[in-house]
Amino acid sequence: MVPKIRRGSRTHGLLVYLYGPGKRDEHIDPHLVGSWDDFAPDPGRDTSADRDPKATLARLTAALDLRVKQAGERAPAKHVWHCSVRTDPGDRMLTDAEWNTVARRLVAATGIAPEGDPDGCRWIAVRHADDHIHILATMVRGDLRRPRMNYDFKKAQAECRRIEKAWGLRRLNPGDGTGSKAPTSAERFKAERTGRPEPSRETLREAVRQALTGAATEEEFFTRLREAGLRVKVRTAPSGDALGYNVALPGDRNRNGEPVWYPGSKLAPDLSLPKIRLRLADDMVDQTAPSAIISGRLVWSPTAGARRSAAGIAEHAAILLDRDDDNAAAHLVGVGELLDAVAQTSPAATRAELAAAAREFERATRSHVRAERADTRAIRSAARGIIQAGGALGRGEDGGTTAMFVSTLVLVALAAVRWHSARGHAQQAHAARQTAEHLRAAYRQAAATPMRALHDQGRALPEAVRRTHEATMRAALLQQGLRADGTPKTDALAATLAQAEQAGHDPEALLQRAIAMRELDTAEDVNDVLVWRLRRLAQLPAHPGEASPHPRAGTRQPETSTNDLTSNRTAPTAAARPGSDPRTRPPRR
Protein backbone atom coordinates (compact mmCIF):
# COMPACT_ATOMS: atom_id res chain seq x y z
CA MET A 1 0.00 0.00 0.00
CA VAL A 2 1.66 3.16 -1.24
CA PRO A 3 0.66 6.67 -0.04
CA LYS A 4 1.63 9.71 -2.11
CA ILE A 5 1.20 13.20 -0.63
CA ARG A 6 1.04 16.55 -2.40
CA ARG A 7 0.01 20.10 -1.42
CA GLY A 8 -2.08 22.54 -3.45
CA SER A 9 -4.23 25.66 -3.31
CA ARG A 10 -7.29 24.85 -5.47
CA THR A 11 -9.90 22.71 -3.74
CA HIS A 12 -12.41 23.01 -6.59
CA GLY A 13 -9.82 22.22 -9.26
CA LEU A 14 -8.78 18.99 -7.54
CA LEU A 15 -12.42 17.94 -7.07
CA VAL A 16 -13.11 18.51 -10.77
CA TYR A 17 -10.22 16.16 -11.59
CA LEU A 18 -11.25 13.50 -9.05
CA TYR A 19 -14.86 13.43 -10.26
CA GLY A 20 -13.94 13.85 -13.93
CA PRO A 21 -13.14 11.17 -16.51
CA GLY A 22 -9.38 11.34 -15.94
CA LYS A 23 -6.70 12.08 -18.48
CA ARG A 24 -7.33 8.76 -20.28
CA ASP A 25 -10.93 8.10 -19.27
CA GLU A 26 -9.57 5.85 -16.51
CA HIS A 27 -11.88 7.20 -13.76
CA ILE A 28 -14.83 4.85 -13.32
CA ASP A 29 -17.79 5.57 -11.04
CA PRO A 30 -16.17 8.30 -8.87
CA HIS A 31 -17.85 8.49 -5.46
CA LEU A 32 -17.17 9.23 -1.81
CA VAL A 33 -16.15 6.38 0.49
CA GLY A 34 -15.71 8.60 3.54
CA SER A 35 -15.77 12.17 4.85
CA TRP A 36 -15.18 14.13 8.04
CA ASP A 37 -18.83 13.79 9.20
CA ASP A 38 -20.19 11.12 6.81
CA PHE A 39 -22.69 13.68 5.47
CA ALA A 40 -20.66 15.49 2.82
CA PRO A 41 -22.46 16.00 -0.52
CA ASP A 42 -21.32 13.47 -3.12
CA PRO A 43 -21.37 14.70 -6.74
CA GLY A 44 -21.00 11.11 -7.92
CA ARG A 45 -24.03 9.75 -6.08
CA ASP A 46 -26.40 12.74 -5.90
CA THR A 47 -29.88 11.21 -6.40
CA SER A 48 -31.97 14.34 -5.90
CA ALA A 49 -34.70 15.05 -8.47
CA ASP A 50 -33.06 18.21 -9.73
CA ARG A 51 -29.66 16.57 -9.89
CA ASP A 52 -26.89 18.92 -11.03
CA PRO A 53 -23.41 17.45 -10.47
CA LYS A 54 -21.79 20.87 -10.94
CA ALA A 55 -23.97 22.39 -8.23
CA THR A 56 -23.20 19.49 -5.90
CA LEU A 57 -19.50 19.90 -6.64
CA ALA A 58 -19.77 23.60 -5.73
CA ARG A 59 -21.53 22.72 -2.44
CA LEU A 60 -18.81 20.19 -1.59
CA THR A 61 -16.10 22.77 -2.35
CA ALA A 62 -17.80 25.34 -0.15
CA ALA A 63 -18.14 22.85 2.71
CA LEU A 64 -14.47 21.86 2.54
CA ASP A 65 -13.27 25.48 2.25
CA LEU A 66 -15.55 26.89 4.98
CA ARG A 67 -12.86 27.10 7.67
CA VAL A 68 -10.25 28.28 5.16
CA LYS A 69 -12.43 31.31 4.38
CA GLN A 70 -13.12 31.87 8.09
CA ALA A 71 -9.38 31.88 8.85
CA GLY A 72 -8.76 34.47 6.14
CA GLU A 73 -5.12 35.54 5.97
CA ARG A 74 -4.18 33.05 8.70
CA ALA A 75 -4.94 30.15 6.37
CA PRO A 76 -1.91 28.61 4.61
CA ALA A 77 -1.39 29.60 0.97
CA LYS A 78 -1.39 25.92 -0.02
CA HIS A 79 -4.32 24.80 2.09
CA VAL A 80 -5.14 21.58 0.16
CA TRP A 81 -3.64 18.31 1.42
CA HIS A 82 -3.94 15.56 -1.18
CA CYS A 83 -2.99 11.95 -0.46
CA SER A 84 -3.51 9.09 -2.91
CA VAL A 85 -3.29 5.55 -1.49
CA ARG A 86 -2.83 2.56 -3.79
CA THR A 87 -2.77 -1.17 -3.11
CA ASP A 88 -0.40 -3.61 -4.79
CA PRO A 89 -1.65 -5.24 -8.04
CA GLY A 90 -1.51 -8.61 -6.30
CA ASP A 91 -3.67 -7.54 -3.35
CA ARG A 92 -7.36 -8.34 -3.04
CA MET A 93 -9.85 -5.60 -3.95
CA LEU A 94 -10.88 -3.61 -0.87
CA THR A 95 -14.52 -2.67 -0.28
CA ASP A 96 -15.73 0.92 0.10
CA ALA A 97 -16.08 0.34 3.85
CA GLU A 98 -12.47 -0.85 4.06
CA TRP A 99 -11.25 2.16 2.09
CA ASN A 100 -13.22 4.36 4.51
CA THR A 101 -11.27 2.76 7.36
CA VAL A 102 -7.98 3.31 5.53
CA ALA A 103 -8.81 7.00 5.01
CA ARG A 104 -9.79 7.52 8.65
CA ARG A 105 -6.64 5.85 9.93
CA LEU A 106 -4.44 7.96 7.66
CA VAL A 107 -6.00 11.34 8.51
CA ALA A 108 -5.73 10.41 12.19
CA ALA A 109 -2.12 9.24 11.93
CA THR A 110 -0.94 12.31 10.01
CA GLY A 111 -2.64 14.85 12.30
CA ILE A 112 -5.28 15.96 9.78
CA ALA A 113 -8.15 14.72 11.93
CA PRO A 114 -6.95 13.00 15.12
CA GLU A 115 -9.34 10.40 16.46
CA GLY A 116 -11.80 11.91 18.93
CA ASP A 117 -10.86 15.52 18.06
CA PRO A 118 -14.03 17.51 17.17
CA ASP A 119 -11.90 20.30 15.69
CA GLY A 120 -10.08 18.11 13.18
CA CYS A 121 -9.72 19.30 9.59
CA ARG A 122 -12.44 18.62 7.03
CA TRP A 123 -11.62 15.84 4.59
CA ILE A 124 -13.15 13.48 2.04
CA ALA A 125 -12.00 10.23 0.38
CA VAL A 126 -12.91 9.68 -3.28
CA ARG A 127 -12.73 6.34 -5.07
CA HIS A 128 -12.71 6.19 -8.86
CA ALA A 129 -10.78 2.95 -9.41
CA ASP A 130 -10.59 -0.50 -7.82
CA ASP A 131 -7.07 -0.19 -6.44
CA HIS A 132 -6.82 3.31 -4.92
CA ILE A 133 -8.50 6.29 -3.29
CA HIS A 134 -7.72 10.01 -3.06
CA ILE A 135 -7.96 11.83 0.28
CA LEU A 136 -8.52 15.59 0.05
CA ALA A 137 -8.31 17.70 3.22
CA THR A 138 -8.28 21.45 3.87
CA MET A 139 -5.64 22.36 6.42
CA VAL A 140 -7.53 24.62 8.80
CA ARG A 141 -8.98 23.13 11.99
CA GLY A 142 -12.30 23.95 13.62
CA ASP A 143 -10.51 26.29 16.05
CA LEU A 144 -9.05 28.01 12.93
CA ARG A 145 -5.52 26.86 13.72
CA ARG A 146 -3.31 24.88 11.37
CA PRO A 147 -2.94 21.15 12.09
CA ARG A 148 0.36 19.77 13.37
CA MET A 149 1.58 17.80 10.40
CA ASN A 150 5.30 17.33 10.87
CA TYR A 151 6.60 14.28 8.99
CA ASP A 152 3.16 13.52 7.56
CA PHE A 153 4.60 11.34 4.80
CA LYS A 154 6.58 9.17 7.24
CA LYS A 155 3.52 8.83 9.47
CA ALA A 156 1.36 7.85 6.50
CA GLN A 157 3.96 5.27 5.44
CA ALA A 158 4.10 3.80 8.94
CA GLU A 159 0.29 3.57 9.15
CA CYS A 160 0.16 1.84 5.75
CA ARG A 161 2.68 -0.74 6.99
CA ARG A 162 0.42 -1.42 10.00
CA ILE A 163 -2.66 -1.77 7.78
CA GLU A 164 -0.81 -4.19 5.47
CA LYS A 165 0.14 -6.37 8.42
CA ALA A 166 -3.34 -6.34 9.96
CA TRP A 167 -5.19 -7.03 6.70
CA GLY A 168 -2.82 -9.53 5.12
CA LEU A 169 -1.86 -7.28 2.21
CA ARG A 170 1.53 -7.28 0.54
CA ARG A 171 3.96 -5.77 3.05
CA LEU A 172 6.30 -3.19 1.56
CA ASN A 173 9.64 -2.17 2.99
CA PRO A 174 9.56 0.97 5.17
CA GLY A 175 11.30 4.01 3.72
CA ASP A 176 14.06 5.94 5.48
CA GLY A 177 14.07 9.18 3.51
CA THR A 178 17.24 8.41 1.55
CA GLY A 179 15.57 7.36 -1.70
CA SER A 180 15.72 9.48 -4.83
CA LYS A 181 12.68 11.55 -5.80
CA ALA A 182 10.26 9.55 -7.94
CA PRO A 183 8.97 11.04 -11.19
CA THR A 184 5.63 12.82 -10.91
CA SER A 185 2.54 11.65 -12.79
CA ALA A 186 2.93 14.62 -15.13
CA GLU A 187 6.51 13.55 -15.92
CA ARG A 188 5.40 9.98 -16.64
CA PHE A 189 2.55 11.12 -18.88
CA LYS A 190 4.92 13.44 -20.75
CA ALA A 191 7.36 10.57 -21.35
CA GLU A 192 4.54 8.45 -22.81
CA ARG A 193 3.29 11.35 -24.91
CA THR A 194 6.74 12.14 -26.35
CA GLY A 195 7.75 8.51 -26.88
CA ARG A 196 10.55 8.46 -24.31
CA PRO A 197 11.21 5.08 -22.65
CA GLU A 198 11.25 6.71 -19.19
CA PRO A 199 10.75 10.14 -17.58
CA SER A 200 13.53 12.68 -18.08
CA ARG A 201 14.30 12.70 -14.35
CA GLU A 202 15.33 9.02 -14.41
CA THR A 203 17.39 9.38 -17.60
CA LEU A 204 19.23 12.38 -16.14
CA ARG A 205 19.85 10.68 -12.79
CA GLU A 206 21.54 7.74 -14.47
CA ALA A 207 23.54 9.97 -16.84
CA VAL A 208 24.80 12.16 -13.96
CA ARG A 209 25.73 9.10 -11.92
CA GLN A 210 27.69 7.66 -14.84
CA ALA A 211 29.49 10.97 -15.42
CA LEU A 212 30.60 10.94 -11.78
CA THR A 213 31.99 7.39 -12.02
CA GLY A 214 35.76 7.58 -11.53
CA ALA A 215 35.85 11.38 -12.04
CA ALA A 216 38.89 12.94 -10.40
CA THR A 217 37.86 16.59 -10.33
CA GLU A 218 34.78 18.78 -10.41
CA GLU A 219 35.84 20.15 -13.80
CA GLU A 220 36.11 16.64 -15.22
CA PHE A 221 32.63 15.84 -13.90
CA PHE A 222 31.08 18.84 -15.66
CA THR A 223 33.03 18.06 -18.83
CA ARG A 224 31.68 14.50 -18.84
CA LEU A 225 28.13 15.79 -18.44
CA ARG A 226 28.50 17.97 -21.52
CA GLU A 227 30.22 15.19 -23.47
CA ALA A 228 27.24 12.95 -22.67
CA GLY A 229 25.03 15.38 -24.57
CA LEU A 230 23.32 16.98 -21.56
CA ARG A 231 22.57 20.67 -21.19
CA VAL A 232 24.44 21.92 -18.11
CA LYS A 233 23.86 25.15 -16.19
CA VAL A 234 26.26 25.93 -13.32
CA ARG A 235 25.07 28.41 -10.67
CA THR A 236 27.92 30.61 -9.47
CA ALA A 237 28.47 33.04 -6.60
CA PRO A 238 29.70 36.62 -7.21
CA SER A 239 33.18 35.30 -6.49
CA GLY A 240 32.86 32.90 -9.43
CA ASP A 241 32.71 29.77 -7.26
CA ALA A 242 30.13 27.18 -8.30
CA LEU A 243 27.17 26.91 -5.92
CA GLY A 244 25.24 24.17 -7.71
CA TYR A 245 24.29 22.83 -11.09
CA ASN A 246 21.23 22.00 -13.17
CA VAL A 247 20.94 19.56 -16.06
CA ALA A 248 18.39 19.12 -18.84
CA LEU A 249 17.86 16.75 -21.73
CA PRO A 250 18.15 18.25 -25.21
CA GLY A 251 14.68 18.68 -26.64
CA ASP A 252 12.92 18.40 -23.28
CA ARG A 253 11.02 21.69 -22.99
CA ASN A 254 8.06 23.06 -21.07
CA ARG A 255 4.95 24.67 -22.51
CA ASN A 256 6.84 27.96 -22.89
CA GLY A 257 9.53 26.32 -24.99
CA GLU A 258 12.15 26.57 -22.21
CA PRO A 259 14.45 23.68 -21.19
CA VAL A 260 13.20 21.64 -18.22
CA TRP A 261 16.05 21.93 -15.70
CA TYR A 262 16.64 19.55 -12.79
CA PRO A 263 19.00 20.43 -9.90
CA GLY A 264 21.33 17.58 -8.96
CA SER A 265 19.82 17.40 -5.46
CA LYS A 266 16.37 16.75 -6.99
CA LEU A 267 17.71 13.80 -8.99
CA ALA A 268 19.14 12.01 -5.93
CA PRO A 269 20.24 13.09 -2.43
CA ASP A 270 23.88 12.24 -3.15
CA LEU A 271 24.06 14.08 -6.48
CA SER A 272 23.99 17.62 -5.09
CA LEU A 273 27.18 19.58 -5.74
CA PRO A 274 28.24 19.68 -2.03
CA LYS A 275 27.86 15.86 -1.78
CA ILE A 276 29.77 15.39 -5.03
CA ARG A 277 32.56 17.65 -3.76
CA LEU A 278 32.84 15.60 -0.57
CA ARG A 279 33.22 12.42 -2.61
CA LEU A 280 35.83 13.96 -4.90
CA ALA A 281 37.79 15.49 -2.00
CA ASP A 282 37.80 12.38 0.16
CA ASP A 283 38.45 9.89 -2.62
CA MET A 284 40.77 11.70 -5.04
CA VAL A 285 41.80 9.17 -7.65
CA ASP A 286 45.21 8.84 -9.22
CA GLN A 287 45.09 10.25 -12.75
CA THR A 288 48.31 8.72 -14.04
CA ALA A 289 48.80 5.16 -15.23
CA PRO A 290 50.64 3.08 -17.82
CA SER A 291 48.83 2.26 -21.04
CA ALA A 292 48.91 -1.46 -20.26
CA ILE A 293 48.43 -3.32 -17.00
CA ILE A 294 51.57 -5.07 -15.76
CA SER A 295 51.05 -8.04 -13.51
CA GLY A 296 54.21 -9.89 -12.56
CA ARG A 297 55.80 -11.30 -15.70
CA LEU A 298 52.70 -10.80 -17.87
CA VAL A 299 51.40 -7.70 -19.61
CA TRP A 300 47.61 -7.61 -19.90
CA SER A 301 45.70 -5.38 -22.26
CA PRO A 302 44.31 -2.25 -20.54
CA THR A 303 40.71 -3.52 -20.75
CA ALA A 304 41.43 -6.99 -19.37
CA GLY A 305 43.93 -5.69 -16.82
CA ALA A 306 41.54 -3.07 -15.47
CA ARG A 307 38.87 -5.72 -14.87
CA ARG A 308 41.35 -8.15 -13.33
CA SER A 309 42.59 -5.47 -10.92
CA ALA A 310 39.05 -4.35 -10.08
CA ALA A 311 38.10 -7.93 -9.16
CA GLY A 312 40.72 -7.96 -6.40
CA ILE A 313 39.62 -4.56 -5.11
CA ALA A 314 35.96 -5.60 -5.16
CA GLU A 315 36.86 -8.74 -3.20
CA HIS A 316 38.41 -6.53 -0.53
CA ALA A 317 35.24 -4.40 -0.41
CA ALA A 318 33.26 -7.58 0.31
CA ILE A 319 35.62 -8.39 3.18
CA LEU A 320 35.05 -4.93 4.68
CA LEU A 321 31.29 -5.41 4.41
CA ASP A 322 31.59 -8.78 6.15
CA ARG A 323 33.35 -7.06 9.08
CA ASP A 324 30.12 -5.15 9.77
CA ASP A 325 31.96 -1.83 10.03
CA ASP A 326 30.05 1.43 9.46
CA ASN A 327 32.94 2.72 7.35
CA ALA A 328 31.93 0.18 4.72
CA ALA A 329 29.14 2.64 3.80
CA ALA A 330 31.65 4.61 1.73
CA HIS A 331 32.79 1.43 -0.03
CA LEU A 332 29.19 0.76 -1.09
CA VAL A 333 29.35 4.03 -3.03
CA GLY A 334 32.58 2.83 -4.62
CA VAL A 335 30.99 -0.50 -5.55
CA GLY A 336 28.21 1.49 -7.21
CA GLU A 337 30.87 3.25 -9.32
CA LEU A 338 32.41 -0.09 -10.29
CA LEU A 339 29.00 -1.32 -11.44
CA ASP A 340 28.41 1.85 -13.45
CA ALA A 341 31.87 1.55 -15.00
CA VAL A 342 31.50 -2.07 -16.09
CA ALA A 343 27.96 -1.44 -17.35
CA GLN A 344 29.19 1.40 -19.57
CA THR A 345 32.05 -0.62 -21.04
CA SER A 346 30.60 -4.13 -21.16
CA PRO A 347 29.91 -6.11 -24.36
CA ALA A 348 26.41 -5.93 -25.84
CA ALA A 349 25.48 -9.43 -24.60
CA THR A 350 25.83 -8.48 -20.93
CA ARG A 351 25.16 -4.73 -21.06
CA ALA A 352 21.42 -4.85 -20.34
CA GLU A 353 21.77 -6.98 -17.18
CA LEU A 354 24.76 -5.01 -15.91
CA ALA A 355 22.98 -1.70 -16.51
CA ALA A 356 19.97 -3.04 -14.58
CA ALA A 357 22.29 -4.15 -11.76
CA ALA A 358 23.91 -0.70 -11.59
CA ARG A 359 20.52 0.99 -11.50
CA GLU A 360 19.24 -1.29 -8.72
CA PHE A 361 22.40 -0.91 -6.63
CA GLU A 362 22.07 2.88 -6.63
CA ARG A 363 19.46 2.49 -3.87
CA ALA A 364 21.84 0.27 -1.88
CA THR A 365 24.53 2.98 -1.82
CA ARG A 366 22.43 5.43 0.24
CA SER A 367 21.56 5.19 3.92
CA HIS A 368 21.84 7.30 7.06
CA VAL A 369 25.07 5.53 8.02
CA ARG A 370 28.04 7.86 7.57
CA ALA A 371 31.61 6.66 7.16
CA GLU A 372 34.14 8.69 9.14
CA ARG A 373 37.55 7.51 7.99
CA ALA A 374 37.06 5.37 4.91
CA ASP A 375 39.75 5.44 2.23
CA THR A 376 38.11 4.54 -1.06
CA ARG A 377 40.78 5.82 -3.42
CA ALA A 378 41.59 2.31 -4.64
CA ILE A 379 38.01 1.41 -5.52
CA ARG A 380 37.32 4.74 -7.26
CA SER A 381 40.60 4.45 -9.17
CA ALA A 382 39.57 0.96 -10.26
CA ALA A 383 36.32 2.39 -11.63
CA ARG A 384 38.27 5.10 -13.41
CA GLY A 385 40.61 2.50 -14.85
CA ILE A 386 37.70 0.53 -16.31
CA ILE A 387 36.21 3.66 -17.89
CA GLN A 388 39.52 4.86 -19.34
CA ALA A 389 40.45 1.41 -20.67
CA GLY A 390 37.40 1.53 -22.93
CA GLY A 391 34.85 -0.98 -24.12
CA ALA A 392 35.48 -4.68 -23.68
CA LEU A 393 34.96 -7.27 -26.39
CA GLY A 394 32.61 -10.13 -25.66
CA ARG A 395 35.24 -12.73 -26.44
CA GLY A 396 38.80 -13.64 -25.60
CA GLU A 397 40.57 -12.21 -22.57
CA ASP A 398 38.14 -9.27 -22.37
CA GLY A 399 35.17 -11.62 -22.09
CA GLY A 400 36.97 -13.87 -19.61
CA THR A 401 37.99 -11.02 -17.28
CA THR A 402 34.45 -9.63 -17.47
CA ALA A 403 33.17 -12.98 -16.18
CA MET A 404 35.90 -12.98 -13.50
CA PHE A 405 34.92 -9.49 -12.35
CA VAL A 406 31.15 -10.05 -12.43
CA SER A 407 31.53 -13.28 -10.45
CA THR A 408 33.20 -11.23 -7.69
CA LEU A 409 30.56 -8.51 -7.86
CA VAL A 410 27.84 -11.09 -7.16
CA LEU A 411 29.47 -11.89 -3.81
CA VAL A 412 29.93 -8.17 -3.08
CA ALA A 413 26.21 -7.56 -3.67
CA LEU A 414 25.33 -10.43 -1.31
CA ALA A 415 27.69 -8.99 1.30
CA ALA A 416 25.84 -5.68 0.90
CA VAL A 417 22.55 -7.53 1.54
CA ARG A 418 23.87 -8.82 4.86
CA TRP A 419 25.37 -5.44 5.82
CA HIS A 420 22.11 -3.58 5.22
CA SER A 421 19.95 -6.31 6.77
CA ALA A 422 21.99 -6.14 9.97
CA ARG A 423 21.07 -2.44 10.24
CA GLY A 424 17.41 -2.81 9.35
CA HIS A 425 17.78 -1.16 5.93
CA ALA A 426 15.02 -3.15 4.23
CA GLN A 427 14.85 -1.16 0.98
CA GLN A 428 18.62 -1.13 0.52
CA ALA A 429 18.88 -4.85 1.28
CA HIS A 430 16.16 -5.57 -1.28
CA ALA A 431 17.97 -3.43 -3.87
CA ALA A 432 21.25 -5.29 -3.26
CA ARG A 433 19.42 -8.62 -3.56
CA GLN A 434 17.94 -7.58 -6.91
CA THR A 435 21.40 -6.44 -7.99
CA ALA A 436 22.80 -9.91 -7.29
CA GLU A 437 20.11 -11.50 -9.48
CA HIS A 438 20.94 -9.23 -12.42
CA LEU A 439 24.66 -9.87 -11.92
CA ARG A 440 24.11 -13.63 -11.89
CA ALA A 441 22.28 -13.38 -15.21
CA ALA A 442 25.13 -11.28 -16.64
CA TYR A 443 27.69 -13.73 -15.30
CA ARG A 444 26.02 -16.70 -16.96
CA GLN A 445 26.19 -14.87 -20.29
CA ALA A 446 29.81 -13.78 -19.86
CA ALA A 447 31.14 -17.07 -18.45
CA ALA A 448 29.54 -19.49 -20.92
CA THR A 449 32.41 -19.52 -23.46
CA PRO A 450 35.46 -19.49 -21.13
CA MET A 451 33.90 -22.09 -18.83
CA ARG A 452 33.14 -24.33 -21.78
CA ALA A 453 36.79 -24.08 -22.89
CA LEU A 454 38.00 -24.89 -19.37
CA HIS A 455 35.67 -27.88 -19.19
CA ASP A 456 37.10 -29.21 -22.44
CA GLN A 457 40.64 -28.74 -21.18
CA GLY A 458 39.81 -30.49 -17.92
CA ARG A 459 38.32 -33.46 -19.79
CA ALA A 460 41.46 -33.64 -21.94
CA LEU A 461 43.82 -33.96 -18.96
CA PRO A 462 45.56 -37.32 -18.49
CA GLU A 463 43.50 -39.50 -16.18
CA ALA A 464 46.16 -39.67 -13.48
CA VAL A 465 46.62 -35.87 -13.45
CA ARG A 466 42.88 -35.25 -13.31
CA ARG A 467 42.41 -37.69 -10.42
CA THR A 468 45.24 -36.06 -8.48
CA HIS A 469 43.70 -32.59 -8.80
CA GLU A 470 40.22 -33.90 -8.00
CA ALA A 471 41.59 -35.44 -4.80
CA THR A 472 43.20 -32.09 -3.93
CA MET A 473 39.86 -30.34 -4.52
CA ARG A 474 37.84 -32.77 -2.43
CA ALA A 475 40.25 -32.60 0.49
CA ALA A 476 40.43 -28.79 0.50
CA LEU A 477 36.68 -28.27 0.16
CA LEU A 478 35.72 -30.93 2.70
CA GLN A 479 38.01 -29.19 5.18
CA GLN A 480 35.74 -26.14 4.86
CA GLY A 481 32.51 -28.16 4.88
CA LEU A 482 32.05 -27.59 1.12
CA ARG A 483 31.90 -29.84 -1.89
CA ALA A 484 32.60 -29.51 -5.60
CA ASP A 485 29.25 -29.65 -7.38
CA GLY A 486 28.84 -30.92 -10.94
CA THR A 487 31.28 -32.73 -13.21
CA PRO A 488 31.67 -29.93 -15.80
CA LYS A 489 32.56 -27.40 -13.10
CA THR A 490 34.93 -29.88 -11.47
CA ASP A 491 36.66 -30.30 -14.83
CA ALA A 492 37.11 -26.51 -15.10
CA LEU A 493 38.60 -26.37 -11.61
CA ALA A 494 40.93 -29.31 -12.35
CA ALA A 495 42.12 -27.62 -15.56
CA THR A 496 42.85 -24.41 -13.64
CA LEU A 497 44.84 -26.28 -10.97
CA ALA A 498 46.82 -28.08 -13.68
CA GLN A 499 47.64 -24.78 -15.41
CA ALA A 500 48.63 -23.18 -12.10
CA GLU A 501 50.98 -26.09 -11.40
CA GLN A 502 52.46 -25.71 -14.86
CA ALA A 503 53.07 -22.02 -14.09
CA GLY A 504 55.11 -22.97 -11.01
CA HIS A 505 52.52 -22.81 -8.23
CA ASP A 506 51.72 -25.41 -5.56
CA PRO A 507 48.10 -26.37 -6.47
CA GLU A 508 47.13 -27.40 -2.95
CA ALA A 509 48.53 -24.26 -1.30
CA LEU A 510 47.01 -22.01 -3.98
CA LEU A 511 43.59 -23.63 -3.56
CA GLN A 512 43.77 -23.17 0.21
CA ARG A 513 44.54 -19.48 -0.29
CA ALA A 514 41.62 -19.07 -2.71
CA ILE A 515 39.21 -20.73 -0.26
CA ALA A 516 40.49 -18.62 2.66
CA MET A 517 40.00 -15.29 0.88
CA ARG A 518 36.43 -15.02 2.23
CA GLU A 519 33.28 -17.08 2.75
CA LEU A 520 31.82 -19.20 -0.03
CA ASP A 521 28.45 -20.00 1.55
CA THR A 522 26.60 -17.41 -0.55
CA ALA A 523 28.15 -18.53 -3.85
CA GLU A 524 25.66 -19.96 -6.34
CA ASP A 525 28.44 -22.20 -7.64
CA VAL A 526 31.50 -22.64 -5.42
CA ASN A 527 33.53 -24.16 -8.24
CA ASP A 528 33.05 -21.13 -10.51
CA VAL A 529 34.09 -18.71 -7.78
CA LEU A 530 37.24 -20.74 -7.05
CA VAL A 531 38.15 -20.98 -10.74
CA TRP A 532 38.23 -17.18 -11.06
CA ARG A 533 40.03 -16.66 -7.76
CA LEU A 534 42.68 -19.19 -8.74
CA ARG A 535 43.17 -17.71 -12.20
CA ARG A 536 43.56 -14.25 -10.70
CA LEU A 537 45.95 -15.39 -7.94
CA ALA A 538 48.05 -17.47 -10.34
CA GLN A 539 47.88 -14.77 -13.06
CA LEU A 540 46.49 -17.21 -15.60
CA PRO A 541 44.63 -16.00 -18.70
CA ALA A 542 40.92 -15.59 -17.94
CA HIS A 543 40.06 -17.12 -21.30
CA PRO A 544 42.05 -20.35 -21.65
CA GLY A 545 41.36 -20.59 -25.39
CA GLU A 546 43.24 -17.35 -26.07
CA ALA A 547 46.96 -16.75 -26.27
CA SER A 548 48.55 -15.70 -23.01
CA PRO A 549 49.71 -12.10 -22.61
CA HIS A 550 53.30 -11.39 -23.58
CA PRO A 551 55.84 -12.06 -20.79
CA ARG A 552 58.16 -9.31 -19.68
CA ALA A 553 61.81 -10.14 -19.95
CA GLY A 554 63.76 -10.57 -16.73
CA THR A 555 60.77 -10.92 -14.45
CA ARG A 556 59.57 -13.78 -12.31
CA GLN A 557 56.13 -14.85 -11.12
CA PRO A 558 55.30 -13.02 -7.87
CA GLU A 559 53.17 -14.30 -5.04
CA THR A 560 49.90 -12.34 -4.96
CA SER A 561 48.62 -11.39 -1.51
CA THR A 562 45.21 -12.61 -0.45
CA ASN A 563 43.73 -9.12 -0.37
CA ASP A 564 45.37 -7.52 -3.38
CA LEU A 565 44.54 -3.83 -3.14
CA THR A 566 46.88 -2.64 -5.89
CA SER A 567 44.77 -0.26 -7.97
CA ASN A 568 45.71 -0.14 -11.62
CA ARG A 569 45.57 3.46 -12.75
CA THR A 570 44.90 4.52 -16.28
CA ALA A 571 45.91 7.82 -17.84
CA PRO A 572 43.15 10.17 -18.93
CA THR A 573 42.99 10.47 -22.67
CA ALA A 574 40.70 12.08 -25.18
CA ALA A 575 37.05 11.39 -24.39
CA ALA A 576 34.80 9.67 -26.85
CA ARG A 577 32.26 11.65 -28.79
CA PRO A 578 28.87 11.52 -26.99
CA GLY A 579 25.99 9.54 -28.37
CA SER A 580 22.43 10.73 -28.66
CA ASP A 581 21.39 8.85 -25.51
CA PRO A 582 23.43 9.83 -22.42
CA ARG A 583 23.17 6.28 -21.04
CA THR A 584 24.36 4.48 -24.18
CA ARG A 585 27.23 6.71 -25.21
CA PRO A 586 30.48 4.96 -26.18
CA PRO A 587 32.87 4.48 -23.23
CA ARG A 588 35.62 7.04 -22.83
CA ARG A 589 39.02 5.83 -23.95
Side-chain angles (χ1 to χ4, degrees), residues 7 16 20 118 162 167 195 214 243 249 258 262 287 324 330 340 390 443 464 470 477 531 537-538 543 548 554 584:
R7 306 287 176 92
V16 168
R162 288 189 282 268
W167 292 7
L243 297 175
L249 284 179
E258 301 166 338
Y262 291 86
Q287 300 184 59
D324 205 28
D340 277 319
Y443 171 75
E470 285 176 350
L477 292 172
V531 163
L537 289 172
H543 194 291
S548 297
T584 57

Side-chain angles (χ1 to χ4, degrees), residues 311-323:
I313 293 169
E315 186 98 41
H316 181 68
I319 293 171
L320 293 177
L321 289 166
D322 286 339
R323 290 175 185 167

